[in-house]
Amino acid sequence: MPHPKTEAVRKLISAGLTNKAIGKQLRMERQTVGQIRRELGLPDVPRQPLTVEQKWRQRTRKVPEGHLKWTGERTAAGGKPVMRHSGKAYSATRVAYRIAHGKDPEGYAKPGCGMPDCVEPTHQRDTADHRPVHTPRVQYASAEAKLAALTEPTEDGHVLWTGTVTSQGQQMLTFNGVSYTARRIAFRAHWKREPVGPVTRACEQPGCIRGEHLDDNQSRRSHQAAMQAVFGTAGHRMKSRT
Ligand SMILES: [Zn+2]
Ligand SMILES: [Zn+2]
């Protein structure tokens, strides 16, 4: 005589549920479900029938322009795409990186395509090669050429630096592996000589690196001499009047 719940069990087995899941749903012992399964001649469902990659693929959806959207679980903090498999948590972008590169990413894997949380395998970059896609590496012929490419004139005749600025506010220009202050290169480009001592700004525009607006020890001394000549004479004249 068949078990009273045989028909209900058969339906859930054909829906792909495990004995444990069916038992929970029908309030039956897992072993009883297994017995019915055997009587029906149906194979057991493996505990985790999909590989990490298969499960990952089931949770993705193609979207326009070649990106891949994550439809699966997300982390509570930050909402990052994640997935569980055999009791382990996986970052969906790390799995994606592995699919494209055949190896685990160094550090984090993040999409470099501009679409937030895109999980398209070929769009993943790891911490080691994570560079913004919009600034490809350009080879410059000289530090002066790099300077020219990374500066911008203002409407009132100054020149501003658009390149790297350190956390201390230093405008840095790196060329052939050597770092200089952008000011130093700007001075050299304009005055056609290496600056003597520190390069300082002589105009009122903060951050300005226009060559004509920069001084070194040598030009400061000649300014001072000129000033002294003017004020020295003026001082004399004023003194003689009193
Ligand atoms: Zn993408
Ligand atoms: Zn200036």
Side-chain angles (χ1 to χ4, degrees), residues 90-98 101 103-111 124-130:
Y90 292 83
S91 141
T93 51
R94 277 184 76 90
V95 174
Y97 184 95
R98 228 200 128 74
H101 297 89
K103 62 178 174 82
D104 281 326
E106 273 180 52
Y108 295 105
K110 280 194 273 184
Q124 305 306 313
R125 288 147 184 270
D126 66 358
T127 307
D129 64 8
H130 205 93

Side-chain angles (χ1 to χ4, degrees), residues 83-145:
M83 184 185 107
R84 271 165 233 283
H85 189 278
S86 304
K88 259 185 83 180
Y90 292 83
S91 141
T93 51
R94 277 184 76 90
V95 174
Y97 184 95
R98 228 200 128 74
I99 289 168
H101 297 89
K103 62 178 174 82
D104 281 326
E106 273 180 52
Y108 295 105
K110 280 194 273 184
C113 60
M115 178 180 136
D117 297 335
C118 174
V119 292
E120 162 56 39
T122 59
H123 293 180
Q124 305 306 313
R125 288 147 184 270
D126 66 358
T127 307
D129 64 8
H130 205 93
R131 283 193 295 270
V133 269
H134 307 295
T135 52
R137 279 184 173 226
V138 182
Q139 288 298 317
Y140 296 101
S142 63
E144 281 81 356

Side-chain angles (χ1 to χ4, degrees), residues 161-220:
W161 174 244
T162 62
T164 306
V165 178
T166 67
S167 52
Q168 281 86 41
Q170 281 267 52
Q171 302 170 327
M172 296 307 289
L173 187 157
T174 304
F175 183 71
N176 275 349
V178 184
S179 290
Y180 309 88
T181 64
R183 264 183 194 176
R184 206 169 172 85
I185 303 301
F187 182 96
R188 199 172 76 184
H190 179 76
W191 299 104
K192 310 290 178 212
R193 62 174 177 82
E194 288 292 337
V196 182
V199 176
T200 56
R201 174 171 54 85
C203 71
E204 300 303 312
Q205 172 64 51
C208 175
I209 54 164
R210 181 170 182 156
E212 294 102 306
H213 298 178
L214 299 174
D215 278 336
D216 70 341
N217 281 349
Q218 197 173 310
S219 57
R220 271 189 297 273

